[in-house]
Amino acid sequence: MPRDPLIALVGKPSSGKSSTLNSLTDASSKVGNYPFTTIDPQRAIGYLQIDCACARYELTERCKPNYGWCINGKRSVPIELLDVAGLVPGAHQGRGLGNKFLDDLRHADCLVHVVDVSGTTDAEGKNTRGYDPSYDIVWLREEIVRWIYGNLMDKWEGMKRRHIATKSTAVASLQNQLSGYSSNAAIVQRTLDRISLKTPLETWDEDTVLSLVNAFIDEKFPTVLALNKIDHADADKNIAKIAKKYSNAPIVLTSAISEIFLRRLAKQKYVKYTPGAEFIDTRQDLIDDGDPEGGNLKEMDEKLTTRVENLKDLVLYRHGSTGVVEVLRKAAGVLGLTPVWPVRNINTFGSENGSEVFRDCVLMNRGSTVADVAKKIMGDAPIAYAETAGGIKVSEDDLIEPGKNDILSFKVGRA
Ligand SMILES: Nc1nc2c(ncn2[C@@H]2O[C@H](COP(=O)(O)OP(=O)(O)O)[C@@H](O)[C@H]2O)c(=O)[nH]1
Ligand SMILES: [Mg+2]
């Protein structure tokens, strides 16, 4: 059964992991400016914004997701998130319960490293001024390397003996050791391809294993850098430095507290705001635009008005959005997640009855086939045939291609 994708938020204490998570979900993990607020790993549901298939067929009015929502063809699909607290320098040796927290990472498919670019917290998450956050990117990666390298080396000699005795392939022997990270043979093969190792496993020295571990992390734990607290005055110079140093990395600029604040104001009817959007409208904005009712929004006092204006200037106008919705989009891109719409009726895109369409949407990993989709939604039920839009038959071995065979209907039974 293909697993659901899991995105883990990592970073030192007080970098803004819980705030980012809260800004993306309705769950409320505790927020506080001291280390280890989040003792247990927190799973929550975030929503990935995608272009929905309903827009292709001008069916946006009738699109009614079972999970998440769809507004004008922009669909929010639930995706599982994990808040991994407690990573500090030395975590792989157990500092700050680091081992336990690293263990939580095992099943993640992608990491979002939340970096505090305000420079107001040190490597341990304690308050300071002028800290260089580019260092956090270095040490956090090193902790993950040391953790996996240590686990691998603990068992290396035994593994080597078995490898020789059973005449296994390097992929098989390594996968045996790496399966605990939800790895698979394809990932291990790609890891070996990355470093184009030609020598037999039994001759590898420690440096070779170290480069193997680095390549494995690049394959198994691709990382998006979420540079958080961009609303802070000291953020700009730190952002510039990191962007220059990590020019090939996927980077998103975020202000988690701004997103939380805006969603709260929208809920309290002070502003109109679509999560992740570039603009907000206040009562006054709407009145200026010719709506005498001001969208029925509440009036804001002077203090609130100033805060909103500051947020517009520092975050929305300058950076385009609060960035948090973009974090999930970037992570989905790195993972190559492809939305697929399983439907009961391939002509109407409806389910059993009624006029509602595209009730279901699943996120498939890169390289998934039609058979993988079937397995995900129906388990091991035998399939007579599968069709895509237009009633076109598709083969179970076909790779999923967006716009081509990403709407699917399965007929159960023996062919
Ligand atoms: N200025 C600013 N502060 C933030 C932002 N995000 C989080 N914080 C603050 O940073 C502190 C730690 O946040 P928290 O989410 O608990 O961090 P965690 O330990 O990584 O989960 C809290 O005081 C938050 O209010 C942000 O975007 N801007
Ligand atoms: Mg936290």
Side-chain angles (χ1 to χ4, degrees):
M1 186 83 152
R3 293 182 317 110
D4 287 318
L6 175 64
I7 297 170
L9 274 62
V10 298
K12 70 186 181 188
S14 292
S15 61
K17 298 177 296 299
S18 299
S19 302
T20 302
L21 200 82
N22 290 342
S23 74
L24 286 166
T25 68
D26 294 326
S28 49
S29 54
K30 269 195 198 155
V31 179
N33 192 18
Y34 46 86
F36 309 121
T37 316
T38 324
I39 297 293
D40 282 306
Q42 299 250 356
R43 286 207 182 203
I45 302 295
Y47 292 89
L48 174 66
Q49 268 185 21
I50 59 156
D51 292 321
C52 188
C54 66
R56 294 181 211 160
Y57 297 93
E58 292 178 18
L59 290 169
T60 54
E61 295 293 319
R62 285 161 51 197
C63 189
K64 291 277 174 316
N66 277 323
Y67 300 103
W69 60 93
C70 186
I71 301 168
N72 295 330
K74 294 277 177 219
R75 184 168 184 140
S76 294
V77 184
I79 187 164
E80 206 172 351
L81 305 175
L82 186 69
D83 182 347
V84 181
L87 293 186
V88 291
H92 76 280
Q93 293 165 319
R95 269 202 74 216
L97 300 177
N99 277 330
K100 180 193 168 303
F101 295 118
L102 282 164
D103 243 32
D104 297 333
L105 281 186
R106 285 176 183 278
H107 302 297
D109 297 300
C110 174
L111 309 184
V112 171
H113 183 178
V114 180
V115 181
D116 176 354
V117 287
S118 71
T120 57
T121 50
D122 66 15
E124 314 261 311
K126 298 198 182 71
N127 287 333
T128 181
R129 258 342 256 275
Y131 175 80
D132 176 2
S134 72
Y135 176 56
D136 293 339
I137 301 172
V138 177
W139 72 251
L140 192 125
R141 164 85 183 196
E142 195 56 24
E143 287 303 324
I144 297 174
V145 170
R146 288 288 148 195
W147 166 57
I148 297 179
Y149 176 79
N151 291 344
L152 201 52
M153 281 323 253
D154 282 348
K155 303 210 173 116
W156 192 261
E157 288 308 315
M159 184 265 269
K160 201 155 84 182
R161 276 196 300 277
R162 251 191 328 277
H163 174 75
I164 296 166
T166 56
K167 298 194 170 60
S168 293
T169 62
V171 170
S173 291
L174 286 171
Q175 168 55 15
N176 230 337
Q177 299 302 310
L178 298 171
S179 61
Y181 308 97
S182 301
S183 176
N184 57 45
I187 291 175
V188 175
Q189 183 62 61
R190 287 202 301 271
T191 300
L192 290 174
D193 291 346
R194 258 178 197 265
I195 47 176
S196 45
L197 261 180
K198 297 283 181 284
T199 51
L201 182 148
E202 55 270 30
T203 66
W204 296 351
D205 60 13
E206 291 184 2
D207 283 345
T208 309
V209 179
L210 204 53
S211 62
L212 176 94
V213 168
N214 267 294
F216 177 69
I217 292 170
D218 291 338
E219 277 296 333
K220 181 64 220 325
F221 300 114
T223 303
V224 172
L225 298 175
L227 307 187
N228 189 39
K229 309 194 188 180
I230 57 170
D231 50 277
H232 193 279
D234 292 348
D236 281 0
K237 66 173 198 304
N238 292 325
I239 294 169
K241 184 170 177 183
I242 291 170
K244 190 163 168 226
K245 192 167 166 197
Y246 295 94
S247 55
N248 291 323
I251 291 178
V252 187
L253 307 182
T254 64
S255 175
I257 51 160
S258 299
E259 181 74 15
I260 292 173
F261 179 58
L262 289 177
R263 289 192 189 193
R264 196 167 63 223
L265 286 187
K267 211 174 247 174
Q268 294 169 346
K269 302 241 181 307
Y270 281 113
V271 299
K272 281 214 189 313
Y273 175 67
T274 312
E278 186 176 350
F279 303 105
I280 49 174
D281 283 314
T282 60
R283 180 182 168 81
Q284 194 54 48
D285 291 335
L286 294 176
I287 291 172
D288 292 347
D289 286 349
D291 171 5
E293 304 298 320
N296 291 320
L297 291 172
K298 287 192 226 161
E299 197 121 21
M300 298 192 290
D301 64 18
E302 200 176 321
K303 202 170 144 212
L304 202 51
T305 306
T306 309
R307 245 187 110 183
V308 168
E309 288 308 316
N310 279 340
L311 196 155
K312 278 187 186 170
D313 287 345
L314 282 171
V315 179
L316 296 184
Y317 293 157
R318 189 172 329 175
H319 298 290
S321 77
T322 68
V324 291
V325 170
E326 186 58 23
V327 166
L328 288 191
R329 264 207 291 268
K330 212 47 145 218
V334 164
L335 283 171
L337 293 184
T338 307
V340 175
W341 293 263
V343 293
R344 196 53 66 90
N345 186 322
I346 199 66
N347 301 307
T348 64
F349 308 125
S351 45
E352 226 92 305
N353 39 40
S355 63
E356 294 160 348
V357 297
F358 297 115
R359 302 300 304 260
D360 294 300
C361 178
V362 291
L363 299 172
M364 300 301 297
N365 287 313
R366 180 182 286 134
S368 293
T369 61
V370 170
D372 291 330
V373 178
K375 227 184 225 142
K376 183 154 184 164
I377 58 172
M378 303 187 304
D380 287 327
I383 295 157
Y385 61 90
E387 295 174 303
T388 189
I392 301 163
K393 292 259 191 319
V394 293
S395 158
E396 288 190 40
D397 301 329
D398 287 353
L399 286 173
I400 297 296
E401 287 180 56
K404 188 170 161 237
N405 56 4
D406 55 359
I407 302 172
L408 287 170
S409 177
F410 298 101
K411 292 291 167 284
V412 181
R414 302 271 168 215

